[in-house]
């Protein structure tokens, strides 16, 4: 069984997001959809402040796709001022902190490669062995609806299981995926304490962060009404 996760790229999201990279064989950056102006693709929250660190992007038409967005020419200067709000590193310097600091100091060019670098830095530091790629490389038909787009992405990557965050439970139909030969699974709600991951990188050690993410890779049971006839109720399972 090959497990595929598909998600918009977020700028250092909450730790629960990274469970998709920990649990998947292939993680597909969904960059062929519209850029959400007030979403988390280009910003992350700071703990206890109600404020955000926002990647400065160039002005673009409202219907621009994520893959079409570019960082602003003065992004480095503007991001540097925002990053002064981050906590000072505790427990000394680490390779992960150095790489993240380098990323924060050098935002330039297209947005997606920059966000992909940030995902790879974390995945490699934590030993997540998933393949990371982009949906825009598949040249998918623009006519595909949201659910069919995901199914086609999973198919193109040879996937037999699609996993999603708990927030996606209202978006996808178990039977639609089943008829496509794909098992649909949702992660359980994140219960860890690292909801502000960028700050946590500078405050906590890699082992604790990795343990928090990997330990939360459990899946919700399939609702009884969604089970095929003759199948028993399935409880939470971890990555096979």
């Amino acid at each position: 069984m090959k497990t595929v996760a598909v998600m918009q790229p977020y700028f250092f999201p909450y730790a629960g997001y990274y469970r998709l990279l920990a649990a998947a064989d292939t993680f597909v950056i969904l960059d062929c959809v519209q850029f959400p102006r007030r979403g988390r693709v280009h910003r992350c929250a700071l703990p206890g402040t109600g404020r955000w660190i926002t990647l400065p992007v160039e002005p673009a038409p409202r219907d621009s796709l994520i893959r079409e967005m570019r960082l602003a020419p003065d992004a480095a200067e503007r991001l540097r001022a925002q990053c002064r709000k981050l906590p000072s590193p505790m427990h000394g310097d680490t390779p992960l902190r150095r790489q993240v600091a380098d990323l924060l100091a050098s935002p330039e060019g297209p947005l997606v490669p920059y966000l992909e670098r940030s995902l790879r830095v974390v995945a490699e530091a934590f030993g997540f062995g998933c393949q990371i790629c982009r949906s825009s490389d598949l040249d998918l038909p623009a006519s595909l609806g949201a659910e069919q787009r995901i199914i086609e992405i999973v198919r193109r990557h040879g996937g037999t299981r699609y996993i999603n965050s708990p927030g996606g439970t209202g978006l996808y139909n178990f039977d639609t995926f089943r008829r496509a030969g794909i098992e649909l699974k949702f992660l359980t709600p994140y219960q860890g304490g690292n909801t502000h991951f960028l700050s946590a990188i500078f405050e906590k050690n890699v082992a604790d962060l990795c343990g928090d993410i990997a330990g939360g890779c459990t899946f919700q049971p399939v609702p009884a009404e969604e089970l095929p006839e003759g199948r028993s109720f399935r409880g939470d399972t971890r990555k096979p």
Side-chain angles (χ1 to χ4, degrees):
M1 176 175 288
K2 182 176 182 180
T3 300
V4 178
V6 184
M7 183 63 70
Q8 294 179 6
Y10 288 174
F11 179 54
F12 291 106
Y14 77 115
Y17 175 105
Y18 294 96
R19 295 180 299 169
L20 293 172
L21 285 88
D25 299 302
T26 298
F27 179 89
V28 182
I29 294 170
L30 187 64
D31 63 344
C32 59
V33 295
Q34 186 173 341
F35 173 69
R37 303 276 164 181
R38 298 189 62 81
R40 293 178 180 262
V41 168
H42 67 311
R43 60 183 193 155
C44 64
L46 288 169
T49 66
R51 298 178 180 177
W52 300 78
I53 289 182
T54 302
L55 287 172
V57 295
E58 289 185 351
R62 184 161 294 278
D63 60 352
S64 295
L65 304 180
I66 295 174
R67 72 184 184 206
E68 297 170 334
M69 301 301 295
R70 295 184 61 87
L71 292 157
D74 61 347
E77 179 181 352
R78 291 162 60 185
L79 187 60
R80 187 181 308 115
Q82 297 180 68
C83 287
R84 296 192 185 105
K85 306 168 188 174
L86 286 170
S88 299
M90 298 175 65
H91 311 299
D93 194 13
T94 68
L96 175 59
R97 289 172 186 159
R98 285 197 298 273
Q99 291 181 77
V100 170
D102 288 343
L103 267 170
L104 296 176
S106 57
E108 59 182 7
L111 176 63
V112 171
Y114 181 82
L115 294 175
E116 182 177 338
R117 282 174 57 203
S118 73
L119 292 172
R120 289 185 182 278
V121 161
V122 174
E124 290 169 7
F126 293 169
F128 300 155
C130 65
Q131 175 190 17
I132 299 176
C133 47
R134 307 175 196 171
S135 65
S136 58
D137 291 337
L138 299 176
D139 195 25
L140 298 170
S143 59
L144 287 177
E147 194 168 47
Q148 290 303 318
R149 180 176 297 267
I150 297 299
I151 288 173
E152 184 61 19
I153 291 171
V154 177
R155 278 176 172 166
R156 297 272 190 102
H157 284 283
T160 53
R161 169 186 281 182
Y162 170 61
I163 61 173
N164 199 276
S165 64
T169 53
L171 300 176
Y172 304 115
N173 181 275
F174 283 90
D175 192 55
T176 302
F177 278 78
R178 187 180 299 120
R179 284 188 272 108
I182 300 169
E183 181 184 15
L184 174 62
K185 298 289 286 184
F186 295 97
L187 288 163
T188 54
Y190 173 67
Q191 301 296 326
N194 298 304
T195 53
H196 302 90
F197 194 71
L198 182 56
S199 296
I201 287 173
F202 292 99
E203 294 178 304
K204 301 183 179 181
N205 63 57
V206 167
D208 289 343
L209 291 174
C210 183
D212 175 48
I213 294 168
C217 290
T218 56
F219 296 98
Q220 300 180 32
V222 178
E225 64 273 17
E226 299 289 355
L227 287 167
E229 188 175 351
R231 291 283 296 278
S232 60
F233 188 84
R234 296 181 64 187
D236 291 359
T237 59
R238 294 182 182 270
K239 176 184 174 183

